Amino acid sequence: MTDRRAQIGLVGRQVSRRSMLAGAAVSVVAPAAATTLGAAPVAAAQGNGQGNPNDGETRRITMYAEVLPSGLVGYGLAPGKATVPGPILEIWEGDTLEIELVNNTDKRLSIHPHGVDYSVDSDGSPLNASFNEPGETRTYVWRTRAPVKAKGNIWIPGSAGYWHYHDHAMGGSHGTEGLRKGLYGALIVRRKGDILPDRQFTVVFNDMTINNKVAPDVPMLDCRLGERVEFVAIGHGNTFHTFHLHAHRWANNRTGMLEGPNDPSQVVDNRDLNPGDSFGFQVIAGEGVGPGVWMYHCHVQFHSDGGMAGIFLVRNEDGSLPDGAQAALDRYHQHDGGHPNGG
Amino acid sequence: MTDRRAQIGLVGRQVSRRSMLAGAAVSVVAPAAATTLGAAPVAAAQGNGQGNPNDGETRRITMYAEVLPSGLVGYGLAPGKATVPGPILEIWEGDTLEIELVNNTDKRLSIHPHGVDYSVDSDGSPLNASFNEPGETRTYVWRTRAPVKAKGNIWIPGSAGYWHYHDHAMGGSHGTEGLRKGLYGALIVRRKGDILPDRQFTVVFNDMTINNKVAPDVPMLDCRLGERVEFVAIGHGNTFHTFHLHAHRWANNRTGMLEGPNDPSQVVDNRDLNPGDSFGFQVIAGEGVGPGVWMYHCHVQFHSDGGMAGIFLVRNEDGSLPDGAQAALDRYHQHDGGHPNGG
Amino acid sequence: MTDRRAQIGLVGRQVSRRSMLAGAAVSVVAPAAATTLGAAPVAAAQGNGQGNPNDGETRRITMYAEVLPSGLVGYGLAPGKATVPGPILEIWEGDTLEIELVNNTDKRLSIHPHGVDYSVDSDGSPLNASFNEPGETRTYVWRTRAPVKAKGNIWIPGSAGYWHYHDHAMGGSHGTEGLRKGLYGALIVRRKGDILPDRQFTVVFNDMTINNKVAPDVPMLDCRLGERVEFVAIGHGNTFHTFHLHAHRWANNRTGMLEGPNDPSQVVDNRDLNPGDSFGFQVIAGEGVGPGVWMYHCHVQFHSDGGMAGIFLVRNEDGSLPDGAQAALDRYHQHDGGHPNGG
């Protein structure tokens, strides 16, 4: 497994909570373990349903922005471990996250979050002189809070959501160069009681790429039948997209699930994914449809034809490939079935 | 009426449940009658409110993909009856739909659904070798299910929704040629208790066209004051659009209506309609605004100016034209009032 | 303050309810006072929570469409007072608004609303011969209504929403020239019990501009820490955008707030804002993040780099500038920090 994943560029892109809990394959998923900040989410994942036992903790991490051998630029949780996208950062609503950002590049850059609270000095924008000069280390502080009751029956929204973070300073005042080169990642703020997934994937539609790759090099999302898989989808760049996942659907709301049988949320399997936007959802892999090689792709025709298409591989429960899967994977890698010249 | 509808390309595009129930004008709405799969939706439409009496039925149809005289390619429910868009397929949540697809063209093609459950062999994609070769017949199976309770108070979404189906194999791995030529249609999965409409219209924004037509040839949506009219709006192709309907609004959620006075859904009369996306809603024709010649159009200015504009004709209750309507229709057909050079 | 605001083009773009109630600075906010139609919203703002004491009133105003010295064309509530965007029109759900529109230009034009009810003669479209010839005065009538219970537990949506109005007749059948030149504005229909804001701002993404301006001339949104600030965001023209506000978030639903702790609405700080679309929300300025110079901008990179970026200035409670704010404002005005060549 390890070799195969490495070959298709998965290292650092896939988080296996199961593996982590079981203590297996840690070398493969090292970034994942590091991105689960503190024990709380894991505890909730174990199903006690009691929410965050560490209410309002302050968590501290160091991130490193570095140039990758490919020329891309990524964030990582240890020197030499930068990836595109960066690690999934995950906290509880109520927590504070302090990020010491080390700029190991020769250009100014920053880290700017969506959805959370920050003062102007953590804005990450040149407008507020909030960035790292080349070689500089700087701390950014992100705070979160639960919903609060306002007047009448109205509540002010909390911080929980599938958010993201990105550079806001390289190559201009809006981080256009940093974004183009890969300085982005997922940020999840969970609410007490939220169900935790078994696996997580970050999918970024960045101009005409997925995670700065095109088919057949787009990350394969690899899981097993019945696992609870969480997607965080993020849009960046200059072009507009629609994210489509085959054979799985979700509610177009905060969690992707419903609050009850009368929840009015629209259920979708295709959603706009435009610059600066993000959403997330969980599916039970293969539920009602079985294992298989399922496509996820931009539904704009010339985008998918141009390579904005990847594979959501749902293996059998024992990890083996289902019937026909290898042939489908071969088609994808041979540009036959996943590309305009295919088939 | 029949001649007039035929002249503006409505045959097969308009479903009259009232006519169907009354036994009138059946020849005009033949595809519509065929697309109501089984008696259940009709029964519910009669207001017993008891939902689907045929819980979890398996329904079987045969569809034919054929080249039309215009050079477009459509799906139909009988040989020689293909239309663009294809027929509205409508089932209850819990039902299974088996589609025997006959490929009467000389190119490979398939049928790929959104929103429902299917195994890899019904995926409709070349990736999964799931398509019809020229002349070939192949069966695709779509399953549906109701929402189910998960942990805590969370529910997993069901299949109910305003979905769609389309080719995923002609002219490449994503069906780009098939979509461009018209291989698409609406798929409605209803939940027990959903209110059934009197009339239904499918509106597809496909690149710079509506249902592969431009004004003044865009389908006229023809109804009477007070009828419950259902729109299914679908996006395809490479361009981004916004669907706007004059003088009528709907909730931006699963049904277009509200679950109660505190339902938080935004009410809209303009919505993004981008490739692969779909939504639906019901309005009471002319409610609060009266009969008339109402525009529906893409709200992107150069798209509407370029012909992405059609007519939602709300007649008087007795079927006659309201005051001023004929003059407005004449303006539309003379490119005066519906086009950039008009007026 | 007055001079400063005038200098940055704020006159007529900012509504201060606090100032209005206090009787101060009336000359600055004259258009604002006029746009609060009747006493009802103010009464509700004072917190009696009893909703509209003037249920179903008919309100009458006169609007003037005029060419501005800049060559733009705007709507105003008095001769010589036209602005781009036009005044915020605000009514209670249930009210009727009669607008006598005076066309003081030499081209045909109209006023077409979103979200409310109108007969074909108030459609504002050339299709329905509903427009003002040059120099002509014409009355348009907009009606609104509360949600009503339909069958079962389903409710038909009411008129409440963050809507907008615009020309539909200048330069073609869809008002493309009128929109390009500035004939647009916000229309708010409030529901009984809705919380009223302290300040309101209209932000229109119109092609590659914000309110037909680019940085550093984009309107500065000026408020004080703790004020309840309402944004109405509107899209127009031919291009697609995403609206992003730094350090503040809202629920993506009718009000931007939640109906309760289990409201499923997604919370966002970035939202698609495409032609014909509109949404609104309220934030408590600086809540959880403090005062400061906060950016709002299109998140499409070449749009923000090209000047679709403005300032949401949250002053200290006493109206003074917080630390560092003047330097940030200077950066913005010197194209340093707000522009691609900046910083």
Side-chain angles (χ1 to χ4, degrees):
Chain A
M1 276 286 285
T2 304
D3 285 357
R4 197 164 166 295
R5 286 183 183 179
Q7 175 196 323
I8 56 171
L10 262 191
V11 174
R13 298 277 50 71
Q14 175 175 290
V15 175
S16 169
R17 288 171 182 276
R18 281 195 177 166
S19 298
M20 192 168 58
L21 291 171
V26 174
S27 67
V28 177
V29 298
T35 60
T36 301
L37 303 164
V42 172
Q46 290 170 333
N48 65 16
Q50 301 306 306
N52 180 5
N54 307 307
D55 193 36
E57 278 203 1
T58 295
R59 303 167 188 282
R60 293 179 184 81
I61 59 172
T62 301
M63 289 184 82
Y64 301 82
E66 299 180 329
V67 179
L68 305 178
S70 61
L72 295 180
V73 187
Y75 296 106
L77 289 163
K81 297 291 189 188
T83 52
V84 175
I88 298 176
L89 302 180
E90 185 178 336
I91 55 177
W92 287 103
E93 206 175 48
D95 287 350
T96 293
L97 180 57
E98 290 187 12
I99 299 175
E100 184 183 56
L101 177 65
V102 181
N103 179 3
N104 283 336
T105 80
D106 61 1
K107 298 192 176 180
R108 81 171 189 195
L109 55 76
S110 71
I111 188 163
H112 166 78
H114 281 241
V116 296
D117 298 340
Y118 49 86
S119 307
V120 284
D121 55 359
S122 290
D123 186 30
S125 74
L127 179 75
N128 281 310
S130 171
F131 56 83
N132 298 51
E133 293 288 5
E136 193 184 358
T137 293
R138 182 187 176 95
T139 298
Y140 298 81
V141 181
W142 304 345
R143 295 180 301 274
T144 65
R145 49 190 157 120
V148 294
K149 199 163 185 312
K151 306 176 188 177
N153 290 315
I154 297 300
W155 288 63
I156 296 175
S159 308
Y162 290 101
W163 304 103
H164 58 112
Y165 61 86
H166 62 86
D167 173 51
H168 208 304
M170 185 186 286
S173 297
H174 297 279
T176 299
E177 181 183 344
L179 283 166
R180 193 173 58 240
K181 291 186 172 174
L183 283 171
Y184 51 72
L187 167 63
I188 302 175
V189 181
R190 294 202 193 272
R191 179 159 299 159
K192 192 163 64 176
D194 282 356
I195 301 174
L196 298 200
D198 299 314
R199 291 187 188 268
Q200 298 173 288
F201 299 114
T202 304
V203 175
V204 182
F205 281 15
N206 188 21
D207 281 331
M208 299 297 286
T209 76
I210 299 179
N211 296 4
N212 278 56
K213 305 278 190 186
V214 294
D217 300 318
V218 168
M220 187 179 305
L221 313 181
D222 193 331
C223 67
R224 296 184 184 195
L225 184 68
E227 287 185 326
R228 179 174 288 275
V229 176
E230 182 170 73
F231 288 76
V232 185
I234 301 166
H236 274 307
N238 295 304
T239 46
F240 283 68
H241 302 288
T242 53
F243 172 92
H244 175 46
L245 175 61
H246 280 221
H248 298 77
R249 59 183 172 264
W250 65 94
N252 189 14
N253 59 19
R254 183 180 73 83
T255 63
M257 287 174 287
L258 301 175
E259 290 292 323
N262 296 323
D263 184 324
S265 302
Q266 190 184 1
V267 177
V268 298
D269 67 2
N270 192 86
R271 212 195 104 149
D272 293 345
L273 184 54
N274 297 326
D277 200 11
S278 62
F279 61 90
F281 60 89
Q282 296 175 357
V283 295
I284 306 302
E287 188 182 41
V289 300
V293 177
W294 300 110
M295 255 192 278
Y296 69 99
H297 61 86
C298 181
H299 213 296
V300 177
Q301 294 301 126
F302 78 87
H303 295 188
S304 50
D305 285 345
M308 291 190 72
I311 299 295
F312 176 43
L313 173 60
V314 181
R315 295 171 180 269
N316 294 322
E317 279 189 85
D318 65 4
S320 61
L321 284 178
D323 288 349
Q326 190 58 58
L329 292 173
D330 291 346
R331 277 183 216 108
Y332 178 74
H333 284 104
Q334 295 158 15
H335 291 223
D336 177 13
H339 261 216
N341 305 322
Chain B
M1 276 286 285
T2 304
D3 284 355
R4 199 163 164 293
R5 287 182 182 180
Q7 176 196 322
I8 56 172
L10 260 191
V11 174
R13 299 278 50 70
Q14 177 178 286
V15 174
S16 170
R17 287 172 183 277
R18 281 196 176 165
S19 298
M20 191 168 59
L21 291 171
V26 174
S27 67
V28 176
V29 297
T35 61
T36 301
L37 303 165
V42 173
Q46 289 169 335
N48 66 14
Q50 300 306 306
N52 180 7
N54 307 307
D55 193 37
E57 279 203 1
T58 295
R59 303 168 188 283
R60 293 179 184 82
I61 58 171
T62 301
M63 290 185 80
Y64 301 82
E66 301 181 327
V67 179
L68 305 178
S70 61
L72 295 179
V73 187
Y75 296 106
L77 289 163
K81 297 292 187 186
T83 53
V84 175
I88 298 177
L89 302 181
E90 185 178 337
I91 55 177
W92 288 102
E93 206 174 49
D95 288 348
T96 293
L97 180 58
E98 291 188 12
I99 298 176
E100 184 183 56
L101 177 65
V102 181
N103 179 2
N104 283 336
T105 80
D106 60 2
K107 298 191 177 181
R108 82 172 188 194
L109 54 77
S110 72
I111 188 163
H112 166 77
H114 280 241
V116 295
D117 298 339
Y118 48 86
S119 307
V120 283
D121 54 359
S122 291
D123 186 29
S125 73
L127 179 75
N128 281 312
S130 171
F131 55 83
N132 298 49
E133 294 287 4
E136 193 184 359
T137 294
R138 182 187 177 94
T139 298
Y140 298 82
V141 180
W142 303 346
R143 294 180 301 274
T144 65
R145 49 191 157 119
V148 295
K149 200 164 185 310
K151 305 174 188 177
N153 290 314
I154 297 300
W155 288 63
I156 297 176
S159 308
Y162 290 101
W163 305 102
H164 59 112
Y165 61 87
H166 63 85
D167 173 51
H168 207 304
M170 184 186 286
S173 298
H174 296 278
T176 299
E177 181 183 344
L179 283 166
R180 192 172 59 242
K181 291 186 172 173
L183 283 171
Y184 51 72
L187 167 63
I188 303 175
V189 181
R190 295 205 192 271
R191 180 159 298 159
K192 190 163 65 176
D194 282 356
I195 300 174
L196 298 200
D198 299 314
R199 290 187 189 268
Q200 297 172 289
F201 299 114
T202 304
V203 175
V204 183
F205 282 14
N206 188 21
D207 281 330
M208 299 297 285
T209 75
I210 299 179
N211 296 4
N212 278 57
K213 305 277 190 186
V214 293
D217 299 318
V218 168
M220 186 178 305
L221 312 181
D222 192 331
C223 68
R224 297 183 183 196
L225 184 68
E227 286 185 326
R228 179 174 288 275
V229 175
E230 183 170 72
F231 287 77
V232 185
I234 302 165
H236 274 306
N238 294 305
T239 46
F240 283 68
H241 302 287
T242 52
F243 172 91
H244 175 45
L245 175 62
H246 280 221
H248 298 77
R249 60 185 172 263
W250 65 94
N252 189 14
N253 59 17
R254 183 180 73 83
T255 62
M257 289 175 286
L258 302 175
E259 291 291 323
N262 295 323
D263 184 324
S265 302
Q266 189 184 2
V267 177
V268 299
D269 66 2
N270 192 86
R271 211 194 105 149
D272 292 345
L273 185 53
N274 296 326
D277 200 11
S278 63
F279 62 89
F281 60 89
Q282 296 175 357
V283 296
I284 306 301
E287 188 181 42
V289 299
V293 176
W294 300 109
M295 255 192 278
Y296 69 99
H297 61 86
C298 182
H299 212 296
V300 177
Q301 294 301 125
F302 79 87
H303 294 188
S304 50
D305 285 346
M308 289 189 73
I311 299 295
F312 177 43
L313 172 60
V314 180
R315 296 171 180 269
N316 294 321
E317 279 190 87
D318 65 4
S320 61
L321 285 177
D323 288 349
Q326 190 58 56
L329 292 173
D330 291 346
R331 278 183 215 108
Y332 178 74
H333 285 104
Q334 295 157 17
H335 291 222
D336 176 14
H339 261 215
N341 305 321
Chain C
M1 275 287 285
T2 303
D3 285 356
R4 198 163 165 293
R5 288 183 181 177
Q7 176 197 323
I8 56 171
L10 262 191
V11 173
R13 298 280 48 72
Q14 177 177 287
V15 175
S16 169
R17 289 173 182 276
R18 281 194 176 165
S19 299
M20 193 168 59
L21 291 171
V26 174
S27 67
V28 176
V29 298
T35 62
T36 301
L37 302 164
V42 173
Q46 289 169 335
N48 65 16
Q50 301 305 308
N52 179 6
N54 307 307
D55 192 38
E57 277 203 1
T58 295
R59 302 167 189 284
R60 293 180 185 81
I61 59 172
T62 301
M63 290 185 81
Y64 302 81
E66 298 180 330
V67 179
L68 304 178
S70 60
L72 295 179
V73 187
Y75 296 106
L77 290 162
K81 297 291 188 188
T83 53
V84 175
I88 297 177
L89 303 181
E90 185 178 336
I91 56 177
W92 287 103
E93 206 175 49
D95 287 350
T96 293
L97 180 57
E98 290 187 12
I99 299 175
E100 184 183 57
L101 177 65
V102 180
N103 180 2
N104 282 336
T105 80
D106 60 2
K107 297 190 177 181
R108 81 173 190 194
L109 55 76
S110 72
I111 188 164
H112 166 78
H114 281 241
V116 296
D117 297 339
Y118 49 86
S119 307
V120 284
D121 55 358
S122 290
D123 185 31
S125 73
L127 179 75
N128 281 311
S130 170
F131 56 82
N132 298 50
E133 294 287 4
E136 193 184 358
T137 294
R138 181 186 177 96
T139 298
Y140 298 81
V141 180
W142 303 346
R143 293 180 301 273
T144 65
R145 51 193 155 119
V148 294
K149 200 164 185 311
K151 305 175 188 178
N153 290 315
I154 297 300
W155 288 62
I156 296 175
S159 308
Y162 290 102
W163 304 103
H164 59 112
Y165 61 85
H166 63 85
D167 173 51
H168 208 304
M170 185 186 286
S173 297
H174 297 278
T176 299
E177 180 183 346
L179 283 165
R180 192 172 59 240
K181 291 187 170 172
L183 283 171
Y184 52 71
L187 167 63
I188 303 175
V189 181
R190 295 204 192 271
R191 179 159 299 159
K192 191 163 64 175
D194 282 355
I195 301 174
L196 298 200
D198 299 315
R199 290 188 189 267
Q200 298 173 289
F201 299 115
T202 304
V203 174
V204 183
F205 281 14
N206 188 21
D207 280 331
M208 299 297 287
T209 76
I210 299 178
N211 296 6
N212 278 58
K213 304 277 189 188
V214 293
D217 299 318
V218 168
M220 187 179 305
L221 312 182
D222 193 332
C223 67
R224 297 183 183 196
L225 184 68
E227 287 185 326
R228 179 174 288 275
V229 175
E230 183 170 73
F231 287 77
V232 185
I234 301 165
H236 274 305
N238 294 306
T239 47
F240 283 68
H241 303 287
T242 53
F243 172 92
H244 176 46
L245 175 62
H246 279 222
H248 297 77
R249 60 182 172 264
W250 66 94
N252 189 12
N253 60 17
R254 182 179 73 83
T255 63
M257 288 175 285
L258 302 174
E259 291 292 324
N262 295 322
D263 185 323
S265 302
Q266 190 184 1
V267 177
V268 298
D269 67 1
N270 192 87
R271 212 194 105 151
D272 293 344
L273 185 54
N274 296 327
D277 200 11
S278 62
F279 61 89
F281 60 88
Q282 296 175 358
V283 296
I284 306 301
E287 188 181 41
V289 299
V293 176
W294 299 109
M295 254 192 278
Y296 68 99
H297 61 85
C298 181
H299 213 296
V300 177
Q301 294 301 125
F302 78 87
H303 294 188
S304 50
D305 284 345
M308 289 190 71
I311 300 294
F312 177 43
L313 172 60
V314 181
R315 295 170 179 270
N316 294 321
E317 280 190 86
D318 65 3
S320 61
L321 285 177
D323 287 350
Q326 189 58 57
L329 293 172
D330 291 346
R331 277 184 216 108
Y332 177 74
H333 284 104
Q334 295 157 17
H335 290 222
D336 177 13
H339 261 214
N341 305 321

